[in-house]
Amino acid sequence: MGRRCGVLGDPIEHSLSPVLHRAGYAALGLDWAYAAHRVASGGLAAFLAGLGDDWRGLSLTMPLKREAVPLVDELTERARLAGAANTIVLGSDRLLGDNTDIPGAIAAIRERTTAPLATAAIIGGGATAASIGLALADLGVRHLEIVVRSPERAFETAETVRAHPGRPAITVSRLDEATTFEVDLVASTIPAAAQDHHLVRACGDVPTVFDVIYHPWPTPLAASIGDRVLVGGFDLLLHQAAVQFELFTGRPAPIDAMRTAGEHALAQRASA
């Protein structure tokens, strides 16, 4: 029987998730539907209450990842550790919350570089930053700097990453005081509009830059990369969507078909 899935968030119009998941369904001949739904902060519980038996999975983006945690019946270990769920799998009588940003980030980074990573900085302190921090800890990072406009807003993220089994050392600093990052990788989770010349200069000597934004693209950070390694937001979106696809359908994700569809959609946006 046909199933329904979707992506929820606010704003949501820019999301490429429908393109990726629908391409996967088409490649496997699945009679499934996937659509974007605008759900503002505080609205997730009501949306969940209105779902029928034909719903199988939800992808969550800002501002719902932490809001989802108390609304599900069960959390995977990675979602529990992150304190955030970007995925809800709907079973017959239970809601499972998962976090595919973590394995998605690992796959995205390792697709672009195999260099050892011991030190890193993350720009931003929200739920996505926490997931990226946990992914970096999985990859061997032992010293992590969280760089934010207001240090008090990074407390939850810092505590989340500090609880990783690898026990990475965490420092929190102010974005407006950043000068030069001397780390193996810097990851930005802030909007493109917030990436000013000061930030771009501070990241100028970092060998690997990971920007989780995919729209608009390129961001100022991405445009400054030169011959250094760039991990883009589309890389993360694709790989976390592939994990979601498998959770929802129980089938291996046709990642090549999903990648082609996503790249085509991005090219159309760039030329519009």
Side-chain angles (χ1 to χ4, degrees), residues 123-150:
I123 316 300
T128 299
S131 298
I132 299 301
L134 292 171
L136 291 171
D138 279 349
L139 288 170
V141 168
R142 291 298 170 258
H143 297 274
L144 179 66
E145 181 179 5
I146 300 174
V147 188
V148 290
R149 294 187 185 277
S150 302

Side-chain angles (χ1 to χ4, degrees), residues 8-249:
L8 317 180
D10 184 24
I12 201 62
E13 294 77 12
H14 70 285
S15 178
L16 274 183
S17 292
V19 172
L20 301 183
H21 285 264
R22 290 170 186 167
Y25 301 156
L28 297 186
L30 298 177
D31 182 23
W32 286 39
Y34 189 106
H37 302 267
R38 181 179 177 273
V39 177
S41 178
L44 182 56
F47 188 91
L48 291 173
L51 299 182
D53 293 340
D54 55 338
W55 282 82
R56 179 59 178 166
L58 299 173
S59 310
L60 306 178
T61 186
M62 291 178 57
L64 304 176
K65 295 180 181 181
R66 285 177 172 155
E67 185 175 323
V69 171
L71 299 178
V72 299
D73 301 300
E74 181 182 356
L75 288 171
T76 63
E77 178 59 21
R78 60 195 177 201
R80 184 200 64 77
L81 187 60
N86 75 327
T87 305
I88 297 178
V89 183
L90 293 88
S92 57
D93 59 354
R94 293 181 66 78
L95 302 180
L96 172 67
D98 201 351
N99 188 310
T100 66
D101 282 335
I102 297 173
I106 292 171
I109 291 169
R110 283 304 177 220
E111 185 176 48
R112 301 296 178 185
T113 178
T114 58
L117 301 173
T119 60
I122 298 178
I123 316 300
T128 299
S131 298
I132 299 301
L134 292 171
L136 291 171
D138 279 349
L139 288 170
V141 168
R142 291 298 170 258
H143 297 274
L144 179 66
E145 181 179 5
I146 300 174
V147 188
V148 290
R149 294 187 185 277
S150 302
E152 62 273 11
R153 295 183 179 178
F155 176 80
E156 185 173 357
T157 292
E159 290 301 296
T160 293
V161 182
R162 194 174 282 123
H164 185 277
R167 296 296 187 266
I170 308 295
T171 59
V172 177
S173 61
R174 294 181 60 92
L175 181 57
D176 57 8
E177 296 175 353
T179 53
T180 300
F181 294 113
E182 297 180 355
V183 292
D184 299 321
L185 178 147
V186 64
S188 173
T189 67
I190 64 176
Q195 297 178 8
D196 58 19
H197 296 298
H198 174 78
L199 174 62
V200 171
R201 284 196 305 270
C203 297
D205 294 327
V206 180
T208 299
V209 174
F210 182 8
D211 194 330
V212 306
I213 302 300
Y214 65 86
H215 179 74
W217 190 263
T219 64
L221 269 178
S224 72
I225 200 69
D227 59 358
R228 294 175 292 151
V229 175
L230 174 63
V231 185
F234 178 70
D235 299 326
L236 172 61
L237 180 71
L238 173 66
H239 286 288
Q240 67 82 28
V243 180
Q244 287 181 336
F245 186 96
E246 296 181 11
L247 288 170
F248 296 162
T249 67

